[in-house]
Amino acid sequence: MDLRSELLKSIWYGFTALDLEKSGKVSKSQLKVLSHNLCTVLSIPHDPVALEEHFRDDDDGPVSSQGYMPYLNKYILDKVEEGSFNKEDVDELCWTLTAKKNYQPDRSSSTLLPEKDAFRLWCLFNFLSEDKYPLVMVPDEVEYLLKKVCMAMSIEFNCVELEDFFSQDSVHQSGITVWVFLEMMNSGKITRGIDKSIVSMAVEEVYREIVGDVLKEGYLWKKGQLRRNWKERWFTLRPSNLSYYTGEDRKDCQGNIVLDGNCCVEVLPDRDGKRCMFCLKTLSKTYEMSASDTKQRQEWTSAIQTAIRLHVEGKKSLHKDLKLKRREQREHREKRRQAKEEELLRLRALQEERERKLAELELLKEAQKQAQALLEEDEQRRRQQHEQLQRTLEVQLREAEEARVSMQAEMALKEEEAEKQRKRIQELEEMQKRLEEALQQEIKARLDEEAFPDRVASCRVILLAEEEEKMKALMNLQEEQEEYILKTEREKRELKQEMEAKSQALEEAQRQLEEVRANRHRVDQDVVAAQRKLRQASTNVKHWNVQMNRLMRPIGPGEKRPSLGSSFASFQIPTQRDPGLRLRRRSGSEDQDEESKENVESRDECDLEKRHSHTSNGDMDIP
């Protein structure tokens, strides 16, 4: 944080104090007074005409803060030279303006801070506040400042009171304003039971350390450069110099040691009746000093080395550097917190995704089980349908066979009837021949009648009547014969078509039956293959169970465990009295019984498994 930013923080309080309506605008007359006072405390010449020219277009109305900032930067802050003024005077000016309006504590309270302490706490707040407007101080910086004050008072800081304060609804978690901070200090929660003078001394010490850049203060014995005598002096260490005074009131400065990268600190042995000695070496002189004890010497040497390090690194304030580091740590913690929250969210999302996947997997397993059950039901139903279809086809085949037999019998009957009809037709043809012969005879008789008309007239009438009756009977019989022949031929055609249709149906039924038999044969082959694999797996399991039983057999005295790496490891042949041998023979006989049963089912496969078991066996059976 540079000098301009520090000055702007204090000036912001002065400007807002003049903004009575909180509209962000201040009248021109008030800005003139503020600008003149700022120029006075900053030791720069004041130009009253510049403000008039800057706000020439707005003579009567209020002046906005956005319009005042260019004037402030150009005519005041750009002319500021560091070291030409006392920043405390600027802070006192802005505190006076803002305290009249905003700082109104309860004057009757016994824990009320003195005006000087309130001003110093206000300066500390400005130093440690964030570089954002409106100015607030984050809880970490509040805790840091309160710990510093409590450490200066040699009391333990109570974090519970601060946590309770920040847990209130009226306190924003992102930070507090300086007036809320001063109200908390005036409430006595932090300084309860402590004398006001001790609090004031602690606030002044923290103020000088943080705002005044005092790294360390205290009494030391210093050896003179000319008289070489020892005198006690009050030393004040800053990052740029080490000053010493006659007393702790710092009114009579006796000297100033400028610190740079060429300076160094060394610890000296005790001499001249002084102990805990050390020296500060510069390019021109060497300063010898003595502390009260070893701890003070260590603190002073560390503080001086810190000041030299800051000068080498180009840093002007230790606490500004510490503040930046704390801010970086807060940002880093915030980033880590956000990263952790993102990681937690990602892990939660992954956990939810995993649970969802597990649920989906369970659903898939359940669906697979249901599908397997449906598949089995479908397979069973399909087998039942095949069996039912096969039975139906067999029934249809039997019915077709019976129909074919009955049709053959009917055909035979039809053939017999046709044969009878043919015989009857032959008889009718023979009768027709006889009738034709009779007709010839009649014609001959007519011829004879013409020869003998008188004698055969009566016979002719009788013969004609008989002939006419016979001709009618013959014509009726011939018509019946033709109708019967047509009917017989029609029935033969219908019977032939029916036989052809039944033959086609029979062929279709036979074809379906063949397909059903082929499907059943394939299913039987699949079942046989599955049974073969099941027997193979069962045999392998039994074989490895036997192997495990053999390997897990307890080792008797004098025996060696067989090696798994070779087929014929070293072993000891047990005697005939060994109970383990009888047990192994019994288990071997049981294995042979099981293998003989399996050989009945599938001799070739079991022979192969038996050969595999004999070759892979790590032990030798005793016959």
Side-chain angles (χ1 to χ4, degrees):
M1 184 172 63
D2 56 0
L3 180 61
R4 182 185 292 264
S5 300
E6 294 180 8
L7 293 174
L8 279 176
K9 284 186 176 181
S10 299
I11 296 172
W12 178 78
Y13 279 105
F15 183 87
T16 53
L18 298 177
D19 184 13
L20 300 177
E21 297 179 357
K22 295 182 180 181
S23 61
K25 296 180 180 181
V26 179
S27 64
K28 187 187 298 185
S29 59
Q30 290 177 322
L31 288 180
K32 286 181 180 180
V33 176
L34 176 63
S35 300
H36 186 270
N37 291 330
L38 288 176
C39 291
T40 302
V41 296
L42 292 172
S43 301
I44 59 175
H46 177 59
D47 187 4
V49 182
L51 186 64
E52 294 289 343
E53 291 180 353
H54 186 73
F55 298 107
R56 183 169 46 202
D57 298 333
D58 195 5
D59 294 335
D60 299 328
V63 179
S64 67
S65 60
Q66 296 177 354
Y68 184 63
M69 277 303 298
Y71 169 81
L72 181 65
N73 288 323
K74 181 177 179 180
Y75 294 98
I76 298 179
L77 297 180
D78 288 346
K79 298 178 181 180
V80 172
E81 294 181 2
E82 188 173 1
S84 63
F85 66 97
N86 187 4
K87 184 178 180 300
E88 188 172 355
D89 296 337
V90 180
D91 293 337
E92 286 183 354
L93 171 64
C94 297
W95 164 255
T96 303
L97 292 175
T98 189
K100 291 180 180 179
K101 176 182 177 183
N102 299 302
Y103 185 58
Q104 298 174 356
D106 185 8
R107 301 295 177 179
S108 61
S109 176
S110 60
T111 59
L112 179 65
L113 293 172
E115 188 74 17
K116 191 67 175 177
D117 294 342
F119 165 68
R120 288 170 178 169
L121 289 174
W122 177 79
C123 294
L124 288 169
F125 183 93
N126 292 342
F127 184 88
L128 297 175
S129 63
E130 297 297 308
D131 299 333
K132 299 176 182 179
Y133 296 92
L135 295 175
V136 294
M137 188 161 57
V138 297
D140 291 343
E141 295 296 326
V142 175
E143 183 179 356
Y144 173 78
L145 178 57
L146 294 178
K147 283 183 178 179
K148 279 285 186 181
V149 175
C150 292
M151 189 182 300
M153 292 187 296
S154 300
I155 63 173
E156 186 177 358
F157 175 67
N158 189 3
C159 297
V160 178
E161 294 288 345
L162 186 62
E163 291 177 358
D164 293 340
F165 176 75
F166 277 103
S167 63
Q168 298 176 5
D169 296 335
S170 60
V171 179
H172 199 276
Q173 294 298 323
S174 61
I176 61 174
T177 62
V178 65
W179 314 117
V180 176
F181 175 70
L182 292 177
E183 182 182 354
M184 179 185 68
M185 295 299 296
N186 287 324
S187 64
K189 294 180 179 179
I190 306 300
T191 61
R192 184 180 294 115
I194 301 175
D195 189 69
K196 288 186 177 181
S197 60
I198 298 177
V199 176
S200 297
M201 292 175 60
V203 171
E204 182 182 4
E205 180 180 348
V206 175
Y207 172 79
R208 287 182 54 78
E209 177 184 354
I210 296 178
V211 179
D213 287 334
V214 176
L215 299 181
K216 188 169 178 60
E217 283 185 318
Y219 281 105
L220 290 174
W221 288 91
K222 176 184 173 297
K223 190 173 184 180
Q225 296 292 323
L226 298 177
R227 295 183 181 181
R228 309 300 292 173
N229 58 343
W230 292 91
K231 293 183 180 179
E232 191 176 24
R233 296 286 185 254
W234 177 267
F235 281 82
T236 299
L237 176 64
R238 289 184 173 87
S240 59
N241 61 343
L242 177 63
S243 304
Y244 52 95
Y245 307 86
T246 56
E248 57 183 304
D249 55 359
R250 299 180 299 277
K251 292 182 179 179
D252 187 9
C253 182
Q254 296 294 315
N256 184 30
I257 305 173
V258 179
L259 302 177
D260 54 19
N262 298 317
C263 300
C264 65
V265 182
E266 292 184 1
V267 177
L268 299 177
D270 299 341
R271 66 174 184 268
D272 299 335
K274 297 296 180 181
R275 51 192 297 271
C276 303
M277 294 178 60
F278 65 95
C279 67
L280 173 60
K281 293 182 178 181
T282 63
L283 289 177
S284 59
K285 294 181 181 180
T286 299
Y287 300 89
E288 296 183 9
M289 286 161 279
S290 173
S292 60
D293 52 25
T294 307
K295 180 181 179 182
Q296 286 294 322
R297 181 176 65 179
Q298 178 65 30
E299 291 180 356
W300 274 103
T301 55
S302 299
I304 294 172
Q305 289 175 352
T306 301
I308 296 172
R309 177 180 59 81
L310 291 173
H311 188 276
V312 171
E313 294 177 355
K315 299 175 181 178
K316 297 181 179 180
S317 174
L318 174 63
H319 287 279
K320 290 179 182 178
D321 184 48
L322 293 177
K323 177 186 175 183
L324 293 176
K325 289 183 178 179
R326 290 196 300 273
R327 183 179 298 173
E328 291 176 357
Q329 290 177 357
R330 287 197 301 272
E331 292 175 354
H332 185 60
R333 285 199 305 268
E334 184 66 21
K335 290 180 180 179
R336 284 190 301 178
R337 185 185 64 80
Q338 292 178 358
K340 188 178 292 185
E341 290 179 356
E342 292 176 358
E343 184 68 18
L344 289 175
L345 292 175
R346 190 176 65 83
L347 290 176
R348 192 176 293 111
L350 290 176
Q351 183 68 19
E352 293 176 357
E353 183 70 17
R354 181 172 175 271
E355 292 177 356
R356 187 176 63 80
K357 290 289 182 63
L358 290 176
E360 291 179 356
L361 185 60
E362 292 295 330
L363 292 176
L364 288 175
K365 288 182 179 179
E366 187 67 24
Q368 186 178 7
K369 290 180 180 179
Q370 294 178 0
Q372 186 69 21
L374 291 175
L375 185 62
E376 292 177 357
E377 293 178 359
D378 190 17
E379 183 68 20
Q380 186 177 2
R381 186 170 60 255
R382 189 172 60 84
R383 288 182 179 178
Q384 293 177 356
Q385 290 178 355
H386 283 180
E387 292 176 357
Q388 185 177 1
L389 180 61
Q390 186 176 1
R391 290 193 297 269
T392 304
L393 291 175
E394 289 177 354
V395 171
Q396 291 179 357
L397 186 60
R398 286 196 299 270
E399 292 178 354
E401 290 291 336
E402 293 176 357
R404 187 175 64 178
V405 172
S406 62
M407 287 175 64
Q408 289 177 354
E410 190 174 354
M411 286 290 293
L413 293 175
K414 294 292 184 181
E415 289 291 337
E416 291 179 358
E417 291 180 358
E419 187 65 27
K420 291 180 180 179
Q421 292 295 330
R422 283 195 297 272
K423 290 180 179 179
R424 190 171 181 182
I425 289 170
Q426 290 177 359
E427 292 176 354
L428 291 174
E429 289 177 352
E430 291 178 356
M431 186 178 294
Q432 185 177 3
K433 289 180 180 179
R434 289 195 299 269
L435 289 174
E436 289 178 352
E437 292 177 355
L439 183 59
Q440 292 293 332
Q441 291 177 2
E442 183 181 358
I443 294 171
K444 186 178 180 181
R446 285 183 179 179
L447 293 174
D448 290 339
E449 183 181 357
E450 291 177 355
F452 306 97
D454 295 334
R455 190 177 48 179
V456 291
S458 58
C459 294
R460 181 180 179 184
V461 173
I462 296 170
L463 288 173
L464 287 173
E466 291 178 358
E467 183 179 356
E468 187 176 358
E469 291 177 359
K470 288 180 180 180
M471 284 297 290
K472 288 181 180 179
L474 182 60
M475 293 299 290
N476 291 331
L477 184 59
Q478 189 174 2
E479 289 177 359
E480 292 177 359
Q481 246 180 359
E482 290 177 357
E483 290 178 358
Y484 186 74
I485 290 170
L486 292 175
K487 182 179 179 181
T488 303
E489 290 178 356
R490 185 170 57 254
E491 290 177 355
K492 284 177 69 176
R493 285 196 301 270
E494 292 176 355
L495 185 60
K496 187 176 182 180
Q497 292 177 358
E498 186 177 357
M499 287 180 67
E500 290 177 355
K502 289 185 178 181
S503 298
Q504 292 178 358
L506 182 61
E507 291 176 358
E508 182 67 23
Q510 288 178 350
R511 185 178 61 78
Q512 293 180 0
L513 182 61
E514 291 297 330
E515 291 180 356
V516 171
R517 288 176 179 174
N519 292 332
R520 185 175 182 181
H521 182 66
R522 284 195 298 272
V523 172
D524 292 339
Q525 287 180 351
D526 294 339
V527 171
V528 170
Q531 290 177 353
R532 187 184 303 113
K533 290 181 181 178
L534 183 60
R535 288 196 298 271
Q536 180 71 22
S538 176
T539 305
N540 291 336
V541 170
K542 291 178 181 178
H543 168 69
W544 288 113
N545 288 335
V546 172
Q547 293 296 325
M548 290 299 295
N549 291 331
R550 290 176 179 176
L551 291 175
M552 294 176 67
R553 181 177 60 83
I555 302 174
E559 294 183 0
K560 294 183 179 179
R561 184 178 298 277
S563 175
L564 298 177
S566 60
S567 299
F568 301 98
S570 61
F571 66 93
Q572 181 179 1
I573 301 176
T575 61
Q576 297 294 333
R577 297 179 181 179
D578 192 354
L581 177 61
R582 292 194 297 271
L583 181 60
R584 288 185 59 188
R585 286 179 177 178
R586 189 179 300 111
S587 63
S589 63
E590 292 175 358
D591 295 339
Q592 290 176 2
D593 293 338
E594 292 179 357
E595 291 177 358
S596 63
K597 292 179 181 180
E598 293 175 358
N599 287 332
V600 173
E601 297 177 356
S602 179
R603 184 175 300 276
D604 295 336
E605 296 177 1
C606 291
D607 289 339
L608 179 60
E609 293 166 1
K610 192 173 182 181
R611 287 196 299 272
H612 182 271
S613 65
H614 282 300
T615 56
S616 62
N617 192 2
D619 200 355
M620 182 179 292
D621 294 335
I622 304 300

